[in-house]
C-alpha cells in the first residue's frame, strides 16, 4: 500500500512537472511567434521605406507597397482605394480589373458606412461556398471573407484598404493588431507621398517654350535623374531679358525666351532634362555626366546662343523690323548633384548665385 502511495505521489510530481514544462514551452513558442512577427513587421516597414525611396511615381509606389503586403503576409487579395478629391480610385489591387468598379464603391455599402464613421475595421464572411459577400455583385466565386479598414490622415477620411480571401471564415483567428500595424504603415506611406503627388499634379508646360515647369524636376524629372549616381546641374539666366523688355518690347523679350530655349532643347540629348525654372532662368540636368564632361559643351552652347540674331517675324517668317534685332546674354552656374541628396538645395544654391551676380556678368561659374 505504501509503495502505491509513493508511485501516485511520483506520478503527481511528474504530471505537475510536465504541466510546468508545457506552460514554459508554450510561453517560449508564444514569445518566438511574437518576436518573429515583430521581425516580419520590421522587415515590411523597411521594404515600405525602400519603396518610398525608389525613383518612381506615387501610383507606382503604392502598387509596390501592395505587392509587399501580399507577399509578406500571404494575403489572397489586397486592394487600396483612395479618394483623389473628385472620385474614389483603385490605387493598387491584385484583383482582376473587371471587379474594380464594385471595389471602389464600398463606401456606399451600408455595412461599411458605420466602419467609416467610427474608424473601425469591419469583418465580413459567409458560412458556406454557395453564399456570397453582401457587397459583391457578380463575383460569386472570388472572395468568401474580407476585412475592411477605413484610412485616415490627420483625422480626415481618405479611403480604405480591404483584404479578401476565397475561404469562408478565413480571418476568424487572424491577429488584428498586426493588421492594424499594417494599416497604419499604409497610412504613413500615403501621407509621405502626398507631397510628391501634389508636385506631379501641378506640373505644367510653359506657354512660350513648351518646356516643363520647375515642379517637373521633383517628380518625373527626378525619377529620370536618379537613374544615375552623379549628374551635373546647370542653371542659366538670360541676363539682358529685362533690358530687352524695356528698350524694345515684351513681345521681343518673349521671342528671345522662345528662340534661346528652342535652340538649347534641339541640341540636348534625350536623356538630359531641360526645364524653364522661373522667369529668365532655365535648368539643364546632364544626367549621369560628371561636371568636367559638360564644360566644353556648355562653353560652345553659350557662345553659339549669344551669336543668334533674334527678332520678331511675321506669319511668313519675314523680319518685321531690322532695327529691332537683339542677342541674348547668358550667365551660367554649374554644380554636381548626387543621387539621394537634396536636389532642391542644389538648385537653390545655383539660383541664389545667379540672382545676386552682377547684371553685366556673362560667364560660366562652377559652384
Amino acid at each position: 500500500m505504501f509503495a502505491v502511495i509513493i508511485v501516485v505521489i511520483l506520478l503527481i510530481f511528474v504530471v505537475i512537472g510536465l504541466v510546468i514544462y508545457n506552460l514554459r514551452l508554450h510561453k517560449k513558442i508564444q514569445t518566438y511567434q511574437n518576436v518573429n512577427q515583430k521581425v516580419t513587421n520590421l522587415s515590411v516597414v523597411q521594404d515600405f521605406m525602400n519603396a518610398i525611396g525608389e525613383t518612381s511615381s506615387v501610383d507606382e509606389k503604392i502598387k509596390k507597397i501592395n505587392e509587399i503586403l501580399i507577399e509578406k503576409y500571404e494575403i489572397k487579395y489586397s486592394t487600396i482605394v483612395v479618394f483623389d478629391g473628385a472620385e474614389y480610385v483603385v490605387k493598387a489591387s491584385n484583383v482582376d480589373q473587371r471587379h474594380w468598379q464594385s471595389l471602389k464603391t464600398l463606401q456606399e455599402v451600408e455595412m461599411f458606412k458605420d466602419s467609416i464613421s467610427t474608424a473601425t475595421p469591419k469583418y465580413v464572411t459567409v458560412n458556406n461556398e454557395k453564399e456570397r459577400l453582401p457587397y459583391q455583385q457578380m463575383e460569386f466565386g472570388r472572395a468568401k471573407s474580407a476585412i475592411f479598414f477605413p484610412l485616415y490622415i490627420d483625422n480626415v477620411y481618405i479611403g480604405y484598404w480591404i483584404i479578401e480571401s476565397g475561404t469562408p471564415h478565413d480571418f476568424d483567428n487572424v491577429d488584428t493588431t498586426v493588421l492594424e500595424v499594417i494599416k497604419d504603415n499604409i497610412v504613413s506611406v500615403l501621407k509621405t507621398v502626398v507631397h510628391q503627388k501634389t508636385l506631379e499634379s501641378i506640373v505644367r508646360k510653359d506657354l512660350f517654350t513648351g518646356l516643363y515647369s520647375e515642379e517637373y524636376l521633383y517628380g518625373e524629372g527626378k525619377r529620370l535623374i536618379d537613374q544615375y549616381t552623379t549628374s551635373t546641374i546647370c542653371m542659366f539666366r538670360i541676363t539682358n531679358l529685362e533690358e530687352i523688355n524695356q528698350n524694345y518690347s515684351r513681345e521681343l523679350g518673349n521671342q528671345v525666351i522662345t528662340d534661346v530655349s528652342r535652340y538649347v532643347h534641339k541640341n540636348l540629348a534625350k536623356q538630359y532634362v531641360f526645364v524653364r525654372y522661373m522667369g529668365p532662368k532655365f535648368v539643364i540636368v546632364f544626367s549621369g555626366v560628371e561636371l568636367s564632361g559638360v564644360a566644353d559643351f556648355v562653353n560652345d552652347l553659350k557662345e553659339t546662343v549669344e551669336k543668334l540674331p533674334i527678332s520678331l517675324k511675321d506669319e511668313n517668317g519675314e523680319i518685321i523690323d531690322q532695327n529691332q534685332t537683339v542677342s541674348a546674354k547668358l550667365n551660367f552656374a554649374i554644380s554636381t548633384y548626387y543621387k539621394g541628396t537634396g536636389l532642391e538645395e542644389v538648385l537653390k544654391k545655383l539660383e541664389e548665385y545667379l540672382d545676386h551676380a552682377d547684371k553685366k556678368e556673362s560667364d560660366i561659374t562652377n559652384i
Side-chain angles (χ1 to χ4, degrees):
M1 183 68 180
F2 179 75
V4 172
I5 294 172
I6 294 296
V7 171
V8 170
I9 292 172
L10 286 174
L11 287 173
I12 291 172
F13 277 114
V14 169
V15 170
I16 292 172
L18 288 172
V19 169
I20 293 172
Y21 173 77
N22 285 333
L23 288 173
R24 288 180 175 176
L25 181 62
H26 175 74
K27 187 176 181 181
K28 286 181 180 179
I29 292 173
Q30 189 66 40
T31 301
Y32 170 77
Q33 288 176 336
N34 290 338
V35 170
N36 186 55
Q37 188 62 62
K38 288 179 180 178
V39 169
T40 301
N41 289 341
L42 286 173
S43 174
V44 171
V45 171
Q46 182 60 54
D47 289 341
F48 276 12
M49 294 303 102
N50 291 339
I52 293 174
E54 286 180 354
T55 54
S56 57
S57 69
V58 169
D59 290 342
E60 288 172 341
K61 288 177 181 178
I62 296 175
K63 289 175 183 176
K64 177 65 176 178
I65 288 161
N66 202 49
E67 290 170 4
I68 293 170
L69 294 176
I70 293 165
E71 178 186 350
K72 294 288 185 179
Y73 294 104
E74 299 180 349
I75 297 171
K76 179 66 174 177
Y77 301 112
S78 175
T79 302
I80 299 172
V81 178
V82 176
F83 184 65
D84 67 359
E87 61 179 346
Y88 286 85
V89 179
V90 175
K91 289 294 185 181
S93 180
N94 65 327
V95 178
D96 192 288
Q97 284 197 23
R98 69 175 182 269
H99 303 310
W100 283 16
Q101 185 58 41
S102 61
L103 284 172
K104 70 177 183 178
T105 58
L106 297 185
Q107 74 285 346
E108 300 172 4
V109 178
E110 198 62 38
M111 69 167 59
F112 296 134
K113 288 182 179 179
D114 183 59
S115 174
I116 293 170
S117 62
T118 59
T120 55
K122 177 70 176 180
Y123 176 36
V124 292
T125 187
V126 297
N127 293 315
N128 60 68
E129 293 291 340
K130 294 182 179 179
E131 294 182 271
R132 67 172 179 173
L133 294 174
Y135 66 86
Q136 292 184 311
Q137 298 171 5
M138 301 173 60
E139 316 168 64
F140 291 96
R142 186 178 64 81
K144 298 299 180 182
S145 54
I147 307 181
F148 176 93
F149 295 90
L151 303 177
Y152 286 78
I153 292 181
D154 298 331
N155 297 321
V156 176
Y157 172 67
I158 60 153
Y160 49 87
W161 170 48
I162 184 169
I163 59 173
E164 301 169 291
S165 169
T167 304
H169 294 278
D170 200 25
F171 299 122
D172 285 5
N173 300 313
V174 73
D175 187 351
T176 55
T177 57
V178 172
L179 292 176
E180 284 289 339
V181 171
I182 299 172
K183 183 206 72 174
D184 291 341
N185 287 331
I186 292 172
V187 171
S188 297
V189 170
L190 292 173
K191 191 173 182 179
T192 302
V193 298
V194 161
H195 180 59
Q196 182 184 342
K197 185 63 179 177
T198 301
L199 287 173
E200 290 177 1
S201 300
I202 64 176
V203 170
R204 296 289 183 269
K205 281 195 173 183
D206 178 60
L207 177 63
F208 298 109
T209 64
L211 301 175
Y212 284 115
S213 60
E214 170 196 356
E215 291 78 16
Y216 178 80
L217 292 171
Y218 308 113
E220 178 64 17
K222 195 170 190 299
R223 184 185 70 80
L224 298 173
I225 298 165
D226 280 352
Q227 292 179 6
Y228 306 90
T229 304
T230 306
S231 297
T232 297
I233 309 291
C234 170
M235 183 181 291
F236 69 86
R237 177 186 180 118
I238 304 176
T239 59
N240 62 337
L241 183 62
E242 293 90 341
E243 179 185 335
I244 293 170
N245 287 337
Q246 291 174 4
N247 296 341
Y248 295 91
S249 66
R250 185 166 292 276
E251 289 77 11
L252 185 55
N254 292 338
Q255 191 64 47
V256 170
I257 291 173
T258 301
D259 287 4
V260 168
S261 60
R262 185 179 296 158
Y263 181 86
V264 173
H265 194 217
K266 185 175 65 174
N267 286 276
L268 288 177
K270 289 185 178 179
Q271 69 267 29
Y272 301 151
V273 177
F274 183 39
V275 301
R276 185 176 183 184
Y277 188 74
M278 190 181 297
K281 294 187 287 284
F282 296 79
V283 170
I284 307 171
V285 182
F286 296 95
S287 310
V289 182
E290 297 285 347
L291 196 144
S292 58
V294 305
D296 290 340
F297 175 80
V298 172
N299 266 307
D300 293 341
L301 184 68
K302 174 177 163 55
E303 288 183 12
T304 305
V305 170
E306 291 186 337
K307 292 178 181 177
L308 291 175
I310 302 172
S311 56
L312 293 173
K313 298 180 177 65
D314 60 23
E315 296 178 354
N316 298 318
E318 298 293 330
I319 296 176
I320 295 174
D321 187 347
Q322 293 286 354
N323 294 321
Q324 290 201 359
T325 299
V326 297
S327 297
K329 295 297 180 185
L330 310 181
N331 196 19
F332 284 78
I334 303 176
S335 188
T336 300
Y337 166 72
Y338 300 95
K339 177 181 177 180
T341 61
L343 176 60
E344 66 280 0
E345 293 301 320
V346 177
L347 293 168
K348 183 180 178 181
K349 181 173 62 175
L350 295 173
E351 183 179 24
E352 286 179 348
Y353 175 81
L354 291 177
D355 284 347
H356 292 90
D358 190 297
K359 294 288 185 181
K360 296 181 180 179
E361 180 179 318
S362 179
D363 208 341
I364 300 174
T365 305
N366 293 341
I367 298 178

